[in-house]
Amino acid sequence: MRHRLIGCLLLGLALAGCQPARTPSAAGGGPYPAAGSYFGPVATDAEKTVLTPLPPSYAPQPEAGLSALSGALYSYTINKIIPETMFYLTKAQGENHNSMPGFLAGPDPSRGDRIEHSDLYGNFQLNDIPPGSYFLIVSAPYNWCPAETAPADPTPRLIQLAAGDRLALGIVYVSWP
């Protein structure tokens, strides 16, 4: 019985070794999946068009003594909205409360960071935010990107909120990804 098992294994190995080698080819049929079949479809030129954001024109009504804001995340580097992406609002640092944190390591709720997500169209609304000065930081692949003043001005955008403010930021520009 043992000899038969060893014989079958050797025969199987010998037959497997007789198969022709598979090499990749431009026409497909190789050992690699055809373009678009494994990671999803390849985008066509029509699908690479610019998507213009339509930010909310208002912010929600906050509770007394708090504030609210809204906007639409937009990448000026790839000319597209930034949908379904995590971002956070973090307090400004420094003596005058107008400086970016020295290091962006992600949100820290114990510091008062507020974590949110943009919707399918890149839009967002945050409500009941304590008054103060903030920076909006967007998650990007392997990085955190601050919202910027404008595409031509990469200065991080300082957001100042007073009690009762309902601030519609409009398009929030980000150098992303």
Side-chain angles (χ1 to χ4, degrees):
M1 178 73 171
R2 185 174 174 181
H3 294 289
R4 283 187 188 169
L5 179 62
I6 293 173
C8 288
L9 285 173
L10 290 174
L11 181 62
L13 288 173
L15 290 174
C18 293
Q19 301 247 344
R22 295 182 69 190
T23 58
S25 69
Y32 305 107
S37 66
Y38 186 74
F39 292 108
V42 176
T44 64
D45 287 336
E47 293 170 328
K48 294 178 184 175
T49 57
V50 174
L51 296 174
T52 304
L54 298 171
S57 59
Y58 63 91
Q61 180 65 49
E63 292 290 325
L66 299 174
S67 55
L69 59 88
S70 66
L73 299 179
Y74 182 75
S75 171
Y76 64 86
T77 53
I78 61 171
N79 296 322
K80 292 190 179 185
I81 60 172
I82 307 174
E84 299 178 320
T85 300
M86 184 180 85
F87 66 91
Y88 66 100
L89 202 61
T90 190
K91 292 181 181 178
Q93 307 291 309
E95 188 176 314
N96 296 322
H97 304 287
N98 62 357
S99 299
M100 276 280 294
F103 182 72
L104 299 176
D108 183 355
S110 69
R111 286 190 319 223
D113 293 348
R114 177 85 175 267
I115 304 167
E116 297 291 339
H117 289 82
S118 61
D119 68 12
L120 185 62
Y121 304 102
N123 295 335
F124 63 87
Q125 293 185 347
L126 286 86
N127 201 0
D128 299 333
I129 305 164
S133 297
Y134 296 90
F135 289 97
L136 193 143
I137 312 296
V138 181
S139 174
Y142 309 112
N143 200 6
W144 292 100
C145 301
E148 297 175 4
T149 305
D153 182 2
T155 304
R157 185 174 183 176
L158 180 64
I159 301 167
Q160 296 176 311
L161 297 169
D165 279 355
R166 297 175 65 191
L167 182 59
L169 296 172
I171 298 173
V172 177
Y173 296 101
V174 182
S175 176
W176 185 95

